[in-house]
Amino acid sequence: AQSVTQLDSQVPVFEEAPVELRCNYSSSVSVYLFWYVQYPNQGLQLLLKYLSGSTLVESINGFEAEFNKSQTSFHLRKPSVHISDTAEYFCAVSPYNFNKFYFGSGTKLNVKP
Amino acid sequence: NAGVTQTPKFQVLKTGQSMTLQCAQDMNHEYMSWYRQDPGMGLRLIHYSVGAGITDQGEVPNGYNVSRSTTEDFPLRLLSAAPSQTSVYFCASTVDFSTDTQYFGPGTRLTVL
């Protein structure tokens, strides 16, 4: 069985401050890992993903996430956030060779001026 | 190129009524899926399809039916709506369910009274 845990339901942060959104997963098989972002009143968009290779993956808008197999984590970080980063962020896993996809409960990032 | 479209955007039903949520994509993706989004629970997979004529159940399939007669369309049917089905519904499509980007529609907000 697979599960995804996002411990922080809300993260308030001031503009230009660093932020980390935590994601832990459990799985009986190897998984692919994803972060999706949902801006208000929109559908989800892929932010970044880890399939293989370097454990550090980056997005085009400055976010990065590191796959840590021993801690079964895939935390999302940004060194300096902007007001426009205000959104809900979802961690997700897809088990190898299964047509399944599991999302975490989401973390609402609220960037204040 | 419209991507993934969903209709209607909003719907209010009475308990016991039936309706169909429409989803269409113009990217020639084989994989399509339906999710429901509830506060504090993230997105949960209802049903998915790996190609025309092939569908399978996700995490929360009870109370929902799907069919896939064409590559483009993947409607979701509620045969007898219940208040527990009040939610926001998202349709998504992708080239590969496990590893590729899922493209989400704008969502349908359904209220069952």
Side-chain angles (χ1 to χ4, degrees), chain A residues 63-100:
Chain A
F63 282 93
E64 65 179 29
E66 186 159 20
F67 169 51
N68 188 319
K69 189 174 182 179
S70 62
Q71 297 186 7
T72 59
S73 68
F74 192 54
H75 301 330
L76 182 70
R77 302 183 184 96
K78 189 170 186 180
S80 177
V81 294
H82 302 289
I83 296 287
S84 59
D85 293 324
T86 294
E88 190 161 17
Y89 293 79
F90 293 92
C91 183
V93 302
S94 175
Y96 284 11
N97 299 321
F98 286 87
N99 284 321
K100 299 292 183 186

Side-chain angles (χ1 to χ4, degrees), chain B residues 4 23-34 47-56 65-77 91-95 97:
Chain B
V4 179
C23 174
Q25 54 95 6
D26 60 1
M27 296 174 282
N28 203 32
H29 288 164
E30 290 295 326
Y31 292 81
M32 296 186 73
S33 52
W34 276 102
H47 285 285
Y48 66 96
S49 169
V50 300
I54 307 170
T55 64
D56 204 349
N65 282 348
V66 292
S67 60
R68 184 98 180 268
S69 56
T70 67
T71 299
E72 294 77 21
D73 300 298
F74 190 43
L76 178 72
R77 297 184 186 85
C91 178
S93 74
T94 182
V95 171
F97 203 53

Side-chain angles (χ1 to χ4, degrees), chain B residues 15 18 21 23 25 32-33 36 39 59 70 74 98 102 106 111:
Chain B
T15 297
S18 63
L21 307 185
C23 174
Q25 54 95 6
M32 296 186 73
S33 52
R36 59 177 290 172
E59 280 182 273
T70 67
F74 190 43
S98 292
Q102 290 198 62
T111 301

